[in-house]
């Protein structure tokens, strides 16, 4: 897999995982947007799989802080493996 394909896969994992975390927490789009400090329309676009320049590291940091996850978990496998045993 080349670098651009690997980066694309990581970004798609991130977009899927942020939606999954919101749904598991039972939060509305409006509530999640307020928590991470973004417009609802941006969150909806991201959750639909659209990449956006407005989505930055500050938003990722706030997701990690709120959900107590490491950034590698957000970019890693999808769905995010919360409370899973460590891989060998």
């Amino acid at each position: 897999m080349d670098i651009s394909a690997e980066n694309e896969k990581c970004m798609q994992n991130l977009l899927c995982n942020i939606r999954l975390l919101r749904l598991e927490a039972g939060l509305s789009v409006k509530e999640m947007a307020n928590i991470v400090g973004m417009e609802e329309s941006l969150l909806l676009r991201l959750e639909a799989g659209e990449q956006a320049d407005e989505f930055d590291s500050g938003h990722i940091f706030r997701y990690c802080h709120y959900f107590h996850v490491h950034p590698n978990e957000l970019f890693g496998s999808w769905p995010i493996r919360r409370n899973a045993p460590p891989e060998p």
Side-chain angles (χ1 to χ4, degrees):
M1 179 182 302
D2 66 30
I3 287 287
S4 61
E6 188 174 328
N7 288 344
E8 182 65 27
K9 175 129 179 72
C10 286
M11 190 63 184
Q12 288 306 313
N13 288 343
L14 170 69
L15 298 178
C16 291
N17 282 327
I18 63 173
R19 183 173 192 276
L20 179 69
L21 288 170
R22 179 183 67 78
L23 293 174
E24 284 182 349
L27 297 169
S28 69
V29 170
K30 182 176 184 172
E31 291 168 324
M32 191 77 251
N34 286 334
I35 290 166
V36 296
M38 70 172 66
E39 297 290 324
E40 290 176 56
S41 59
L42 173 58
L43 182 55
L44 287 170
R45 289 184 5 234
L46 292 169
E47 288 189 358
E50 182 182 324
Q51 296 182 25
D53 291 337
E54 305 94 327
F55 186 59
D56 61 28
S57 59
H59 297 120
I60 295 170
F61 175 79
R62 288 187 284 278
Y63 268 99
C64 292
H65 179 74
Y66 184 81
F67 290 108
H68 304 284
V69 296
H70 191 275
N72 290 343
E73 293 175 278
L74 288 177
F75 287 101
S77 64
W78 184 85
I80 194 166
R81 296 177 50 187
R82 301 190 66 183
N83 301 319
E87 293 184 20

